[in-house]
Amino acid sequence: MDKPFQPFADGLPNLSQGHFVVPTAADLHVETPFTHAPRFLILYGSLRERSFSRFLAYEAARLLEAMGGEARIYDAHGLPLPDDATADHPKVQELRNLSIWSEGHVWVSPERHGAMTGVIKSQIDWLPLSEGSVRPTQGRTLAVMQVSGGSQSFNAVNGLRVLGRWMRMITIPNQSSVPMAYKEFDEAGRMKPGPLYDRVVDVCEELVRFTLLTRERADYLVDRYSERKDREPERLKFVAADIGFVTRPS
């Protein structure tokens, strides 16, 4: 083996032992499981009157509720552009409160110019990584979907996955991409039966399972060694000393 010792015996001199935690199966045990229905926030990326991303969002909501969840869909009409208003704007507060309420998200976007739309990106940009001690997205599950006017593409869902990782969400493996969406929905906005609809069912089913698996453990799953060190007041004293504000603690 390409290893000087088996096991390594030269220690971890750069590790802060006081903040180091060995994960165990026991840490994942839940004393009091949640009894309420899993909560899902759905965002979609179009303001058109006949919006296929909205139709797909509605289909997801119907499925999630049929699977025992509670789904709320955010209407982005009236949401200002990021930085064009303050965070106390009513539409911003509505969005943030819904995210705090949620345990999982569904993001649905059309593909426009090879990427997600500005409508969906604006909604996500209004969600902060943290707001005081509250983190509106961290630890929540996420499913991503897209609709396209032409052939099947995955540009929008790939971009949404990047954002989900940045927002520290647990993005499920499955996803849905609906090509030529105008052929997949009827006049009433209902998705037609077929393989593409079946994939949407798969995605919602997987999202519910991941949410039930992780929601009571979300804080533990996203707890980080580096952040435990950052929260340590003694570390801040050393930082202040290093930049010359105080004498370095002994």
Side-chain angles (χ1 to χ4, degrees), residues 126 160 194 212 218 236 243:
W126 271 118
L160 291 171
L212 291 172
L236 299 180
I243 60 179

Side-chain angles (χ1 to χ4, degrees), residues 115-138:
M116 73 186 79
T117 63
V119 175
I120 190 77
K121 184 63 163 57
S122 291
Q123 294 173 70
I124 299 166
D125 284 347
W126 271 118
L127 292 172
L129 285 173
S130 63
E131 195 169 24
S133 61
V134 177
R135 295 183 170 178
T137 58
Q138 179 169 301

Side-chain angles (χ1 to χ4, degrees), residues 169-230:
M169 305 178 78
I170 302 167
T171 308
I172 67 170
N174 214 337
Q175 62 187 23
S176 169
S177 173
V178 181
M180 292 183 282
Y182 59 90
K183 293 184 177 181
E184 299 300 325
F185 294 87
D186 62 23
E187 286 302 312
R190 296 305 306 271
M191 194 170 186
K192 299 174 183 178
L196 293 171
Y197 177 77
D198 293 348
R199 186 60 172 265
V200 174
V201 179
D202 290 346
V203 171
C204 291
E205 185 178 66
E206 189 170 289
L207 178 64
V208 172
R209 288 173 177 167
F210 269 76
T211 305
L212 291 172
L213 183 67
T214 62
R215 62 178 183 166
E216 292 105 331
R217 307 167 177 86
D219 290 344
Y220 174 72
L221 290 172
V222 294
D223 181 47
R224 296 180 176 180
Y225 164 79
S226 59
E227 292 183 349
R228 291 194 296 274
K229 290 182 67 179
D230 285 339

Side-chain angles (χ1 to χ4, degrees), residues 3-213:
K3 201 172 184 182
F5 303 101
Q6 181 63 29
F8 279 112
D10 49 356
L12 295 166
N14 298 323
L15 191 70
S16 172
Q17 292 294 336
H19 302 98
F20 182 61
V21 175
V22 178
T24 68
D27 293 326
L28 294 168
H29 176 69
V30 177
E31 291 289 344
T32 308
F34 293 163
T35 57
H36 63 266
R39 301 165 177 168
F40 299 101
L41 170 61
I42 303 178
L43 309 180
Y44 62 93
S46 173
L47 301 177
R48 291 179 176 177
E49 183 176 348
R50 184 168 173 80
S51 164
F52 296 112
S53 64
R54 185 175 75 250
F55 294 159
L56 185 55
Y58 286 0
E59 291 295 340
R62 294 182 183 101
L63 288 165
L64 292 171
E65 290 183 347
M67 295 174 189
E70 182 180 355
R72 298 184 184 179
I73 303 173
Y74 179 73
D75 180 359
H77 283 91
L79 179 70
L81 289 172
D83 302 326
D84 198 33
T86 55
D88 59 359
H89 188 284
K91 290 296 293 185
V92 175
Q93 286 299 302
E94 177 190 359
L95 175 60
R96 293 186 178 186
N97 288 335
L98 283 171
S99 189
I100 292 168
W101 164 86
S102 72
E103 296 164 337
H105 284 206
V106 180
W107 295 349
V108 187
S109 180
E111 181 170 317
R112 182 173 295 168
H113 298 321
M116 73 186 79
T117 63
V119 175
I120 190 77
K121 184 63 163 57
S122 291
Q123 294 173 70
I124 299 166
D125 284 347
W126 271 118
L127 292 172
L129 285 173
S130 63
E131 195 169 24
S133 61
V134 177
R135 295 183 170 178
T137 58
Q138 179 169 301
R140 287 157 178 80
T141 53
L142 171 65
V144 295
M145 304 184 187
Q146 76 168 74
V147 294
S148 303
S151 58
Q152 191 169 46
S153 170
F154 300 94
N155 291 329
V157 288
N158 287 340
L160 291 171
R161 283 187 176 278
V162 171
L163 284 174
R165 183 171 67 248
W166 187 263
M167 304 301 287
R168 300 177 65 172
M169 305 178 78
I170 302 167
T171 308
I172 67 170
N174 214 337
Q175 62 187 23
S176 169
S177 173
V178 181
M180 292 183 282
Y182 59 90
K183 293 184 177 181
E184 299 300 325
F185 294 87
D186 62 23
E187 286 302 312
R190 296 305 306 271
M191 194 170 186
K192 299 174 183 178
L196 293 171
Y197 177 77
D198 293 348
R199 186 60 172 265
V200 174
V201 179
D202 290 346
V203 171
C204 291
E205 185 178 66
E206 189 170 289
L207 178 64
V208 172
R209 288 173 177 167
F210 269 76
T211 305
L212 291 172
L213 183 67

